[in-house]
Amino acid sequence: MTDPSLTALYEQLPPQPAPPGPLAGLRVLDLATLFAGPLAATLLGDFGAEVIKVEHPRRPDPARGHGPAKDGVGLWWKLLGRNKRTLTLDLSTPGGRDVLLRLAAGADVVVENFRPGTLEKWGLGWPELSAANPRLILARVTAFGQFGPYARRPGFGTLAEAMSGFAALTGEPDGPPTLAPFGLADSVAALTTAYAVMAALRGQQATGRGQVVDMAIIEPMLTVLGPQPVWYDQLGYVQPRTGNRSANNAPRNTYRTADGSWVAVSASAQSIAERVMRLVGRPELIDEPWFTTGEGRARHADTLDAAVGGWIARHGKEEVLAAFERAEAAIAPVQDIRDVLADPQYRALESITEVPDDELGTVRMQNVLFRLSETPGAIRWAGRAHGADTDEVLAGLGMTGDEIAALREAGAL
């Protein structure tokens, strides 16, 4: 059982606006950096969890310095740090260790992404954390997992994109393997970690005990890539790079319109493929024996691309989109962020929202991931300054001003 007095100390944290969402009351300590672990904690915070971001006092989360900044304020952090209070703590010091254990005693979840063995070196491994709180969930997010020949290697999502087969599948057939120009593997791992934490919490309800979540960033990408292992196991088949085409269906590509815009067409379903052929004036292709399966159409992608691409090239973007909509065929414009912000569907869904911010005034960013009809999530604030809530959080643990000053003098804060 968790020491009731420690839980009471945790509950003395100064009151915050009532957090919305179904995870209200869930307490999360985010010890992680770059990017899967912190994003997982962000997703929990979006639906009401109370998240405390723990950063080194002299080495802030590198996400604060990634990408463009405005007036010296990192913009990526405003998204990644939203709905989190920020605390500085050097976990390698005795004082930092003790404070972390006190926080963990009243928490539900700890998210970390240090190399395996690092927390253990500081006396903050699973034995110590679970002793402080037997119901705790410890989510450990690393490139390669907690064991195996690569476990102690440094690694990032880019390596997962390479190792998993994603890069080998991505790019033109005669071009090099291609990496995503954004944190794809980290984002997939973050979504998976948030799901894993919820599964572990459900297990906690059933057993009364916490557990360790071992999340290797190289693994979720394997599932995202689909049946590659099954195909190879049963057929020896290795999917090649096909550019914007699909090995499983056609037509599926990007096509340039008469006014120089680009659109994407997908015809995964047989009925959609037939509608597209009628729309572009090639209904006779529907009667071809190979047209009846996605695999057959993929083998004749040259013919289908010529038909679809030729028709699209003779019409402007708006005309193309309207014609496809009337035909109930699947199409979308290829958009950059300027188009996304103006898109009426994103506007209707409120996919981009405005968030008040102490440093920048108002920040537009992605909204919470999904809508719940009864217990919706919300963005309560954007990423806060480094260590902005340190004194408040520690005072909530019952520490006096002198004790906080001593920790700061010792380099623990």
Side-chain angles (χ1 to χ4, degrees), residues 17-368:
L23 302 184
L26 187 73
R27 297 166 181 154
V28 179
L29 298 177
D30 174 10
L31 315 184
T33 61
L34 293 179
F35 282 99
L39 182 55
T42 301
L43 299 176
L44 298 173
D46 283 351
F47 286 89
E50 179 186 346
V51 182
I52 296 177
K53 172 70 177 182
V54 179
E55 298 176 81
H56 193 281
R58 293 163 294 280
R59 296 190 298 276
D61 188 322
R64 292 181 180 273
H66 265 58
K70 181 181 180 182
D71 300 330
V73 178
L75 299 179
W76 201 330
W77 172 253
K78 290 300 175 184
L79 172 68
L80 194 64
R82 72 189 192 190
N83 293 335
K84 300 178 184 180
R85 287 192 284 165
T86 59
L87 166 74
T88 59
L89 207 58
D90 185 345
L91 303 181
S92 68
T93 65
R97 173 187 181 276
D98 292 345
V99 170
L100 194 282
L101 287 174
R102 292 179 69 176
L103 287 167
D108 299 289
V109 180
V110 172
V111 181
E112 66 95 3
N113 73 333
F114 300 104
R115 285 198 222 177
T118 301
L119 282 185
E120 287 75 7
K121 179 178 64 177
W122 296 335
L124 289 169
W126 179 238
E128 292 83 3
L129 289 171
S130 61
N133 181 356
R135 294 178 60 84
L136 187 70
I137 305 300
L138 174 61
R140 315 195 76 167
V141 186
T142 57
F144 306 110
Q146 294 295 309
F147 57 91
Y150 303 167
R152 292 181 180 271
R153 293 182 182 178
F156 300 97
T158 296
L159 306 191
E161 290 155 19
M163 286 182 59
S164 64
F166 168 82
L169 289 173
T170 307
E172 295 299 325
D174 57 351
T178 303
L179 297 166
F182 59 93
L184 174 62
D186 278 304
S187 299
V188 172
L191 290 163
T192 311
T193 300
Y195 165 57
V197 165
M198 300 309 299
L201 286 168
R202 180 64 184 90
Q204 179 209 74
Q205 291 176 353
T207 67
R209 299 189 304 276
Q211 59 183 301
V212 176
V213 173
D214 180 5
M215 176 59 60
I217 296 174
I218 62 172
E219 289 187 298
M221 288 296 293
L222 292 176
T223 295
V224 170
L225 290 173
Q228 307 294 325
V230 179
W231 284 343
Y232 182 74
D233 175 64
Q234 295 297 307
L235 301 172
Y237 175 71
V238 178
Q239 183 173 329
R241 286 192 290 282
T242 57
N244 289 324
R245 289 178 172 177
S246 169
N248 307 310
N249 65 81
R252 192 266 198 182
N253 213 326
T254 58
Y255 306 94
R256 194 166 192 173
T257 64
D259 52 7
S261 297
W262 289 88
V263 295
V265 173
S266 177
S268 298
Q270 180 71 21
S271 59
I272 299 294
E274 293 177 5
R275 291 172 194 164
V276 171
M277 289 303 104
R278 293 189 184 100
L279 170 63
V280 302
R282 297 297 303 275
E284 75 280 2
L285 293 176
I286 298 171
D287 297 326
E288 295 287 346
W290 48 262
F291 196 88
T292 58
T293 67
E295 187 273 335
R297 295 195 303 275
R299 284 189 285 105
H300 293 80
D302 286 343
T303 299
L304 297 175
D305 274 347
V308 176
W311 185 89
I312 288 175
R314 297 191 296 274
H315 300 80
K317 182 183 78 169
E318 296 305 323
E319 184 182 0
V320 169
L321 295 175
F324 269 71
E325 184 173 355
R326 288 193 300 271
E328 297 185 353
I331 193 171
V334 175
Q335 302 188 148
D336 64 20
I337 189 57
R338 295 167 295 186
D339 304 311
V340 169
L341 292 173
D343 187 281
Q345 183 62 30
Y346 281 126
R347 284 179 177 269
L349 296 174
E350 298 183 347
S351 304
I352 305 295
T353 190
E354 292 188 348
V355 181
D357 182 68
D358 292 340
E359 295 177 295
L360 298 175
T362 300
V363 181
R364 284 193 291 179
M365 64 176 64
Q366 300 94 319
N367 210 335
V368 299

